[in-house]
mmCIF file of all heavy atoms in Angstrom:
data_model
loop_
_atom_site.group_PDB
_atom_site.id
_atom_site.type_symbol
_atom_site.label_atom_id
_atom_site.label_comp_id
_atom_site.label_asym_id
_atom_site.label_seq_id
_atom_site.Cartn_x
_atom_site.Cartn_y
_atom_site.Cartn_z
ATOM 1 N N HIS A 206 -0.269 17.865 -1.252
ATOM 2 C CA HIS A 206 1.051 17.760 -0.675
ATOM 3 C C HIS A 206 1.325 19.002 0.182
ATOM 4 O O HIS A 206 0.655 20.038 0.026
ATOM 5 C CB HIS A 206 2.129 17.538 -1.756
ATOM 6 C CG HIS A 206 2.813 18.781 -2.255
ATOM 7 N ND1 HIS A 206 2.328 19.546 -3.299
ATOM 8 C CD2 HIS A 206 3.948 19.379 -1.842
ATOM 9 C CE1 HIS A 206 3.147 20.555 -3.515
ATOM 10 N NE2 HIS A 206 4.140 20.482 -2.645
ATOM 11 N N SER A 207 2.273 18.899 1.077
ATOM 12 C CA SER A 207 2.547 19.993 1.990
ATOM 13 C C SER A 207 4.038 20.289 2.021
ATOM 14 O O SER A 207 4.864 19.406 1.745
ATOM 15 C CB SER A 207 2.067 19.636 3.397
ATOM 16 O OG SER A 207 2.378 20.669 4.331
ATOM 17 N N GLU A 208 4.357 21.534 2.318
ATOM 18 C CA GLU A 208 5.756 21.935 2.460
ATOM 19 C C GLU A 208 5.935 22.685 3.773
ATOM 20 O O GLU A 208 5.085 23.519 4.130
ATOM 21 C CB GLU A 208 6.190 22.806 1.277
ATOM 22 C CG GLU A 208 6.189 22.045 -0.033
ATOM 23 C CD GLU A 208 6.689 22.863 -1.209
ATOM 24 O OE1 GLU A 208 7.111 24.018 -1.008
ATOM 25 O OE2 GLU A 208 6.654 22.328 -2.339
ATOM 26 N N LEU A 209 7.012 22.375 4.454
ATOM 27 C CA LEU A 209 7.391 23.063 5.691
ATOM 28 C C LEU A 209 8.612 23.916 5.366
ATOM 29 O O LEU A 209 9.656 23.372 4.977
ATOM 30 C CB LEU A 209 7.711 22.045 6.792
ATOM 31 C CG LEU A 209 8.187 22.610 8.139
ATOM 32 C CD1 LEU A 209 7.062 23.405 8.812
ATOM 33 C CD2 LEU A 209 8.644 21.477 9.073
ATOM 34 N N ASN A 210 8.462 25.222 5.491
ATOM 35 C CA ASN A 210 9.545 26.140 5.205
ATOM 36 C C ASN A 210 10.153 26.638 6.506
ATOM 37 O O ASN A 210 9.439 27.085 7.403
ATOM 38 C CB ASN A 210 9.021 27.327 4.402
ATOM 39 C CG ASN A 210 8.454 26.885 3.064
ATOM 40 O OD1 ASN A 210 9.180 26.393 2.208
ATOM 41 N ND2 ASN A 210 7.161 27.034 2.893
ATOM 42 N N MET A 211 11.464 26.535 6.584
ATOM 43 C CA MET A 211 12.170 26.881 7.812
ATOM 44 C C MET A 211 13.232 27.915 7.474
ATOM 45 O O MET A 211 14.095 27.667 6.637
ATOM 46 C CB MET A 211 12.803 25.623 8.409
ATOM 47 C CG MET A 211 11.817 24.460 8.507
ATOM 48 S SD MET A 211 12.578 22.846 8.614
ATOM 49 C CE MET A 211 13.256 22.940 10.244
ATOM 50 N N SER A 212 13.180 29.080 8.114
ATOM 51 C CA SER A 212 14.133 30.140 7.820
ATOM 52 C C SER A 212 14.996 30.440 9.045
ATOM 53 O O SER A 212 14.685 30.023 10.161
ATOM 54 C CB SER A 212 13.403 31.400 7.373
ATOM 55 O OG SER A 212 12.576 31.875 8.412
ATOM 56 N N SER A 213 16.088 31.155 8.799
ATOM 57 C CA SER A 213 17.025 31.533 9.874
ATOM 58 C C SER A 213 17.328 30.336 10.772
ATOM 59 O O SER A 213 17.170 30.397 11.999
ATOM 60 C CB SER A 213 16.440 32.673 10.709
ATOM 61 O OG SER A 213 16.165 33.794 9.900
ATOM 62 N N LEU A 214 17.762 29.261 10.150
ATOM 63 C CA LEU A 214 17.965 28.020 10.875
ATOM 64 C C LEU A 214 18.941 28.181 12.043
ATOM 65 O O LEU A 214 19.935 28.920 11.954
ATOM 66 C CB LEU A 214 18.471 26.929 9.937
ATOM 67 C CG LEU A 214 17.418 26.374 8.973
ATOM 68 C CD1 LEU A 214 18.069 25.487 7.917
ATOM 69 C CD2 LEU A 214 16.353 25.600 9.735
ATOM 70 N N GLU A 215 18.617 27.502 13.118
ATOM 71 C CA GLU A 215 19.444 27.507 14.321
ATOM 72 C C GLU A 215 19.928 26.083 14.597
ATOM 73 O O GLU A 215 19.338 25.112 14.115
ATOM 74 C CB GLU A 215 18.630 28.020 15.519
ATOM 75 C CG GLU A 215 18.065 29.412 15.330
ATOM 76 C CD GLU A 215 17.125 29.818 16.452
ATOM 77 O OE1 GLU A 215 16.864 28.976 17.349
ATOM 78 O OE2 GLU A 215 16.646 30.975 16.425
ATOM 79 N N LEU A 216 20.991 25.981 15.399
ATOM 80 C CA LEU A 216 21.515 24.654 15.730
ATOM 81 C C LEU A 216 20.434 23.772 16.349
ATOM 82 O O LEU A 216 20.365 22.570 16.092
ATOM 83 C CB LEU A 216 22.698 24.775 16.692
ATOM 84 C CG LEU A 216 23.936 25.491 16.156
ATOM 85 C CD1 LEU A 216 25.008 25.568 17.246
ATOM 86 C CD2 LEU A 216 24.491 24.808 14.926
ATOM 87 N N GLY A 217 19.574 24.384 17.147
ATOM 88 C CA GLY A 217 18.514 23.641 17.841
ATOM 89 C C GLY A 217 17.422 23.122 16.926
ATOM 90 O O GLY A 217 16.551 22.368 17.379
#
Side-chain angles (χ1 to χ4, degrees):
Chain A
H206 94 272
S207 177
E208 294 183 4
L209 177 66
N210 298 295
M211 311 159 70
S212 62
S213 302
L214 287 170
E215 302 173 356
L216 296 178

